[in-house]
Amino acid sequence: MIQFNQQDSKIHKDQLISLPVTNVIQEADDVCTFRLDNSQGLIPPHQPGMFVKVCLDINGMEVWRSFSISSSPHQRERIDLTIKRNHAGQVGNYFFDHIHVGSHVFLKGPLGQFYFDPAQHVEPVILLCAGIGITPMMSIVRYLHATNVNRICYLFYGARTHRDIIFDQETRDLITEMPDFHYFLTLSQPVPHWLGYCGQLNFDFMISKIPQVELSRFFLCGPRNFNQDFTLRLLEMGVPHELIHSEQFHKKNKTR
């Protein structure tokens, strides 16, 4: 459990929420979901796609990082943070090495302007993500499933290898439970016996799978070049700027 010095710590605990970890779920190589107990409702209701800011005390230093919530806001009793370990990094390694069931995580939120609003976003929803960028997208998909919102949804997910795929079985199961949900996974470094789509997720592949690009609402989450390339091509296709939502997870996970 993280311990904070009541007198010396720079962290103002009255401004933070402390939630205990109830489960740690291995999702893929170097990816785990840390499930936090929000049964007391300390994290207020939020929109799917938003994030929280986590504060850690690492070797006496106050370290902040932001993580998208991967659970559905419909499940208010829990907050899931799906985190990828970066062996050259600091915070991801700390989570994997020191945060376990019974630990407390200090955080604030929810925050962010990247989210799906069922009341305002009535267009078909196109989710485009790479790597760990799938986390806010899963919050959206899980929300659509839990609330039976009548919305066409396409999830395009680019991963590196089959060992890097996150939420794959759950997502495939949702195809049979959600008639308007479509899932496309492509691997940039597949093994020889891989039978699915190959190559990096790109614009031409995406538009070959969806109708009426200009009338859809797009959510992008990935590295900067990924987001920029898709945004530029969508604008060139005539998609209004207000229908394109972009979240750069590399930027978001820097210290705030």
Side-chain angles (χ1 to χ4, degrees), residues 67-189:
F67 294 103
S68 296
I69 302 171
S70 57
S71 53
S72 167
H74 184 261
Q75 295 175 305
R76 298 182 181 181
E77 75 282 357
R78 75 188 197 206
I79 297 292
D80 285 358
L81 303 180
T82 302
I83 298 173
K84 180 177 177 62
R85 179 198 283 266
N86 176 2
H87 290 276
Q90 182 181 39
V91 172
N93 285 328
Y94 188 92
F95 262 90
F96 276 75
D97 296 338
H98 299 286
I99 303 297
H100 47 75
V101 174
S103 299
H104 278 69
V105 176
F106 290 83
L107 65 160
K108 61 173 57 178
L111 302 163
Q113 300 301 313
F114 180 88
Y115 58 81
F116 169 72
D117 182 347
Q120 301 292 328
H121 302 161
V122 298
E123 305 83 5
V125 175
I126 314 299
L127 309 175
L128 301 162
C129 56
I132 197 66
I134 194 174
T135 52
M137 308 308 194
M138 279 307 296
S139 180
I140 294 173
V141 172
R142 287 166 167 167
Y143 176 82
L144 291 172
H145 177 248
T147 57
N148 293 315
V149 172
N150 184 21
R151 195 78 78 252
I152 296 173
C153 178
Y154 287 78
L155 173 61
F156 293 89
Y157 174 33
R160 187 175 55 177
T161 74
H162 71 283
R163 300 179 67 89
D164 299 305
I165 303 170
I166 311 171
F167 308 125
D168 188 52
Q169 189 57 55
E170 177 186 357
T171 310
R172 294 187 184 278
D173 291 343
L174 290 177
I175 296 174
T176 63
E177 301 174 20
M178 302 169 62
D180 292 326
F181 176 62
H182 309 271
Y183 173 49
F184 296 95
L185 167 68
T186 182
L187 300 184
S188 61
Q189 298 178 23

Side-chain angles (χ1 to χ4, degrees), residues 10 20 32 42 54 59 62 76 84 91 93 99 102 113 133 153 189 192-194 203 217 231 238:
K10 296 181 290 182
C32 282
L42 299 180
V54 172
N59 298 324
E62 178 182 319
R76 298 182 181 181
K84 180 177 177 62
V91 172
N93 285 328
I99 303 297
Q113 300 301 313
C153 178
Q189 298 178 23
H193 59 270
W194 172 253
F203 187 83
R217 183 174 294 270
T231 298

Side-chain angles (χ1 to χ4, degrees), residues 28 38 48 63 94 122 126 130 134 195 207 210 229 245-246 251:
N38 190 46
V63 180
Y94 188 92
V122 298
I126 314 299
I134 194 174
L195 299 178
I207 63 171
I210 64 173
D229 290 345
H245 307 263
S246 179
K251 179 180 179 180

Side-chain angles (χ1 to χ4, degrees), residues 196-239:
Y197 295 106
C198 301
Q200 292 186 339
L201 180 58
N202 61 70
F203 187 83
D204 292 334
F205 175 80
M206 182 269 294
I207 63 171
S208 72
K209 303 299 182 184
I210 64 173
Q212 297 183 308
V213 173
E214 320 84 58
L215 301 179
S216 299
R217 183 174 294 270
F218 294 84
F219 291 83
L220 287 62
C221 189
R224 177 180 299 174
N225 290 342
F226 176 91
N227 289 9
Q228 289 179 342
D229 290 345
F230 272 100
T231 298
L232 179 61
R233 294 290 301 274
L234 288 170
L235 293 172
E236 291 174 347
M237 285 276 299
V239 178

